[in-house]
Amino acid sequence: MTKIALVTGANKGIGFEIARQLGEAGWKVLLGARSIERGEAAVAELTSQGLDVEFLQIDMTSLESIEQAAGTLRNNYPGLTLLINNAGMPGAFSSSFSNTQEEHLREAFEVNFFGTFRLNQRLLPLITENEGTIVNVSTDMASLHFMHNAEHALNAFDYNSSKTANNAMTVAMAIELKNSKAQVFAVTPGFTKTDLNGNAEGGKSKEAGAAIIVGYATDGKRHNGEFLDINGVYAW
């Protein structure tokens, strides 16, 4: 049976690499993206490499779009067993709490928390029935332990807090799935050069970041309720 995965925010960056690596591993990948033009271009590039990839339009800021995508998945891809919530919004990557503007805080939460919440809630029954896996892509900076103890931490309150809320969602979902064969967990790829951070120097490649996420998503192990980085379990 063909394994089916949905990756959101997959027309570029880490999401695109996740889609490519899953495709190379034999998965049928639904490449989720807001832009039809960019999404179809990404699919064309991957299918030209012989990979089984299809485009699914989904705007993580739109409830109507999320409900439409979820309906398409339930009706046309009932065998979905893997959801990787990669789509993310940085807000303004504020430099401190004092510099954070509410507008940017709301922008970050709209995608990183509320959009992901809506999609997770609508697909959780299908993933549970299929004994599948949900991966919420996180960040080191979502960890309150890391932010409190790190000597150098980017205090981008808009982005960081939206991802901390996402981590709380992961824990709540994991409690619900505790007695199920389905699972949900969070993965941070660590500092990676992406458009989200302006391709900042010093980060790992998108390919390397994606490999960490794909590795945990497909290793066949029970990670329910865990927060993972390249070295294993990471502190919340």
Side-chain angles (χ1 to χ4, degrees):
M1 177 180 289
T2 302
K3 298 174 292 185
I4 305 173
L6 167 62
V7 184
T8 64
N11 62 284
K12 63 178 182 177
I14 289 180
F16 180 82
E17 284 301 321
I18 292 172
R20 182 180 63 79
Q21 291 177 25
L22 285 173
E24 289 177 344
W27 287 74
K28 179 182 185 63
V29 180
L30 302 171
L31 187 150
R34 178 175 56 181
S35 166
I36 295 176
E37 181 180 2
R38 290 195 292 269
E40 289 183 342
V43 167
E45 182 176 345
L46 293 174
T47 55
S48 72
Q49 300 171 21
L51 305 181
D52 187 1
V53 182
E54 294 183 21
F55 173 59
L56 180 70
Q57 185 180 21
I58 181 166
D59 180 350
M60 298 300 289
T61 67
S62 166
L63 175 58
E64 181 181 2
S65 176
I66 290 169
E67 288 187 331
Q68 184 174 6
T72 297
L73 290 163
R74 287 191 297 267
N75 293 329
N76 300 340
Y77 306 96
L80 181 77
T81 56
L82 176 59
L83 167 61
I84 298 185
N85 287 302
N86 168 75
M89 166 68 72
F93 245 58
S94 57
S95 59
S96 69
F97 171 81
S98 296
N99 290 333
T100 301
Q101 297 182 28
E102 183 174 334
E103 173 189 1
H104 299 143
L105 186 65
R106 289 182 180 275
E107 287 175 354
F109 266 82
E110 189 60 36
V111 173
N112 301 340
F113 181 74
F114 287 108
T116 306
F117 161 76
R118 292 164 183 151
L119 185 61
N120 276 335
Q121 197 171 65
R122 283 154 182 80
L123 292 183
L124 185 61
L126 180 61
I127 294 291
T128 302
E129 181 182 343
N130 292 338
E131 300 179 354
T133 294
I134 297 175
V135 178
N136 292 325
V137 176
S138 191
T139 172
D140 299 12
M141 299 179 297
S143 165
L144 299 180
H145 179 271
F146 172 80
M147 290 299 295
H148 184 68
N149 293 287
E151 184 176 352
H152 301 290
L154 180 60
N155 193 21
F157 180 65
D158 43 10
Y159 178 69
N160 297 0
S161 61
S162 68
K163 285 294 194 176
T164 302
N166 189 298
N167 278 1
M169 175 167 53
T170 302
V171 173
M173 293 171 68
I175 292 171
E176 192 167 323
L177 293 177
K178 183 170 58 175
N179 297 318
S180 165
K181 291 185 178 180
Q183 63 175 340
V184 58
F185 53 91
V187 179
T188 170
F191 180 30
T192 306
K193 292 191 291 185
T194 67
D195 288 351
L196 186 142
N197 57 31
N199 291 292
E201 290 301 319
K204 64 175 64 68
S205 69
K206 300 174 183 67
E207 294 84 354
I212 296 169
I213 297 165
V214 172
Y216 284 120
T218 62
D219 67 7
K221 297 179 181 179
R222 182 72 172 171
H223 296 296
N224 190 52
E226 294 180 344
F227 185 15
L228 301 160
D229 73 350
I230 191 172
N231 298 312
V233 175
Y234 197 70
W236 292 107

